Amino acid sequence: MERPKLIVLAAAIFMFVTFVSYAVFLDDITKWNLPNRIYLHLVSNKTSDEGTWNFLSKIFPKEGKYVDGNAVNETSQKISHSNLTVVTAYWNLGTFRKGSHQTFTTNTYLTWTKTFKYLMNPLVIYTDCVQFRDLITKERSEGKLEYQTELVFINRTSLWPFSLLDKIKQVYSQPGYPAHYPNTVNPSYSAAQHAKYAVVADAVRRNLYNTSYFAWLDIGYFRDLIGSNQYFELKIPPNFDSSRLAVNLISHLGMNTRPYSIFRSNVVWVGGGLFIGTRNVVIEFEKLYERAVLYFLDQKLMNSDQQVLYSLYSQEGRKALKPNIELQLYTPTGGGNPWFYLGYLCRKVVNRTKVEEFI
């Protein structure tokens, strides 16, 4: 056979084999059910080595976007080693009284942001405060965690809880309505507590890190660790039920207490500082929670999210609202602060002396 014909035949055979191999590979990879993201194995002996993160930022640049007239840093898909996205928020409510003798200011929350410097989960932050935005961005940058950080700077009135301020104010203005600072005194504080569920659901819809699980984490949840420089990651708690929303039990209480008493007496059953759920559970729970808030407002009752949760699952609340999502209660054990039990149960220290991460 002539040489040119041999070359053409060899090329045809090569193309055929390549096509068949690709088809087989494509068929196999679709069976793997891989997440729609890219995995890179990065190894560095220096925690201060910025080269890796700078390299990643060039491969996956952030695109400018505006939401409600405010700048938002967002990408269609980001990278992460974790399967749990943490969501937090700070709304600038100024200075307010907390409980019988405490006063919370913007500086109170700014001090607590240090713990997020060491949180290695992908983190989505919502805020309307420039000072807070700049500080927490700086903390994440100093922790070499920019690649795990997304900041959403928005007008809080775009969230449904803050559209209810007038209705909440009307409830609190009723003659004789008990004053529990700031829960039943400051309508914006109440709305901020309800907004937890709105922003976590929004983060699920964005799902920038393609994770299966989402957690709300209060800014001050790990306030006792602000002097620590240990990196840590939140993991799914043991015996987690993916059909429920995981929360921290605070008090063993009967479910026959009426919502009227729960709201007016400021009764707490479960804590609102941390909750964890799958994507679907979070989305469905936000719908249920919003329905509950509107229902209790119609009953001329309101307080923080903790009273909404107790009332929702009380006998009277179940009869009226018929919840389609149940809570998974984690009961505190040991001698620690029961309010933060679930968070410390999920917290695992990460050794970054030698950084080796799949991101």
Side-chain angles (χ1 to χ4, degrees):
M1 186 177 292
E2 298 178 6
R3 184 180 178 83
K5 291 182 179 180
L6 284 173
I7 294 175
V8 171
L9 179 61
I13 293 173
F14 174 78
M15 292 177 65
F16 175 76
V17 171
T18 301
F19 175 77
V20 171
S21 299
Y22 175 74
V24 172
F25 170 76
L26 191 62
D27 180 65
D28 285 343
I29 200 171
T30 57
K31 298 175 183 176
W32 296 348
N33 194 30
L34 290 176
N36 184 27
R37 56 178 169 174
I38 298 173
Y39 289 87
L40 300 176
H41 188 193
L42 305 175
V43 180
S44 172
N45 289 317
K46 300 179 181 178
T47 57
S48 60
D49 182 9
E50 298 182 13
T52 299
W53 320 126
N54 290 336
F55 171 70
L56 286 172
S57 66
K58 289 180 173 59
I59 297 179
F60 303 99
K62 290 184 177 181
E63 299 175 359
K65 184 176 180 179
Y66 288 82
V67 174
D68 299 318
N70 297 289
V72 176
N73 289 327
E74 184 175 40
T75 56
S76 58
Q77 191 68 64
K78 301 185 79 171
I79 50 178
S80 174
H81 71 281
S82 175
N83 202 25
L84 173 63
T85 294
V86 173
V87 183
T88 194
Y90 171 71
W91 313 110
N92 190 357
L93 306 183
T95 299
F96 57 87
R97 176 178 163 184
K98 179 75 169 175
S100 59
H101 63 278
Q102 289 182 295
T103 299
F104 280 16
T105 68
T106 298
N107 284 335
T108 303
Y109 292 92
L110 294 179
T111 300
W112 290 338
T113 61
K114 183 183 177 183
T115 59
F116 288 88
K117 178 178 179 178
Y118 303 102
L119 175 65
M120 294 191 64
N121 295 78
L123 177 66
V124 183
I125 309 154
Y126 291 78
T127 189
D128 62 352
C129 177
V130 172
Q131 190 178 6
F132 178 84
R133 177 198 66 188
D134 293 347
L135 180 60
I136 201 164
T137 299
K138 178 175 178 288
E139 296 284 8
R140 296 293 285 179
S141 176
E142 290 178 352
K144 310 304 176 190
L145 291 168
E146 303 101 313
Y147 71 102
Q148 295 263 71
T149 307
E150 189 71 17
L151 191 136
V152 184
F153 190 78
I154 63 172
N155 185 331
R156 64 186 185 231
T157 59
S158 64
L159 301 171
W160 64 261
F162 287 101
S163 71
L164 302 174
L165 289 177
D166 288 342
K167 290 185 177 181
I168 298 173
K169 184 177 180 180
Q170 289 174 12
V171 172
Y172 294 171
S173 298
Q174 295 177 96
Y177 201 86
H180 301 286
Y181 290 88
N183 296 14
T184 61
V185 176
N186 187 336
S188 293
Y189 182 86
S190 177
Q193 305 313 302
H194 308 320
K196 301 172 185 179
Y197 307 91
V199 296
V200 178
D202 182 72
V204 169
R205 287 186 284 268
R206 294 168 183 260
N207 199 12
L208 299 175
Y209 298 93
N210 196 34
T211 63
S212 299
Y213 306 95
F214 284 77
W216 164 264
L217 183 67
D218 274 1
I219 291 295
Y221 196 95
F222 289 113
R223 66 192 70 177
D224 294 335
L225 298 178
I226 57 174
S228 170
N229 59 0
Q230 286 185 318
Y231 285 92
F232 66 96
E233 182 178 355
L234 295 187
K235 300 284 191 177
I236 301 302
N239 304 314
F240 177 73
D241 185 341
S242 61
S243 70
R244 296 179 175 230
L245 191 75
V247 295
N248 196 130
L249 180 69
I250 300 299
S251 303
H252 292 274
L253 300 172
M255 304 313 289
N256 58 348
T257 305
R258 297 189 61 214
Y260 182 91
S261 298
I262 294 170
F263 279 99
R264 285 176 163 257
S265 299
N266 203 42
V267 185
V268 177
W269 171 51
V270 296
L274 171 68
F275 59 81
I276 302 171
T278 62
R279 294 194 299 257
N280 183 64
V281 165
V282 167
I283 291 293
E284 290 302 313
F285 188 81
E286 187 216 7
K287 297 174 186 176
L288 170 63
Y289 186 85
E290 181 178 6
R291 187 156 54 86
V293 169
L294 295 175
Y295 172 79
F296 291 122
L297 279 173
D298 286 343
Q299 304 299 308
K300 304 302 180 185
L301 297 170
M302 192 41 57
N303 200 305
S304 79
D305 62 319
Q306 294 172 153
Q307 288 69 41
V308 172
L309 292 174
Y310 187 14
S311 298
L312 167 59
Y313 291 99
S314 68
Q315 291 178 5
E316 189 175 316
R318 283 184 178 277
K319 184 177 179 180
L321 294 160
K322 298 176 175 57
N324 59 318
I325 299 293
E326 295 294 333
L327 301 182
Q328 181 177 10
L329 308 182
Y330 280 83
T331 303
T333 59
N337 189 327
W339 283 88
F340 306 130
Y341 171 76
L342 181 56
Y344 282 91
L345 181 66
C346 298
R347 181 179 180 268
K348 306 300 177 186
V349 173
V350 177
N351 184 0
R352 288 190 90 185
T353 301
K354 178 178 180 180
V355 180
E356 184 172 297
E357 301 166 28
F358 286 92
I359 65 174

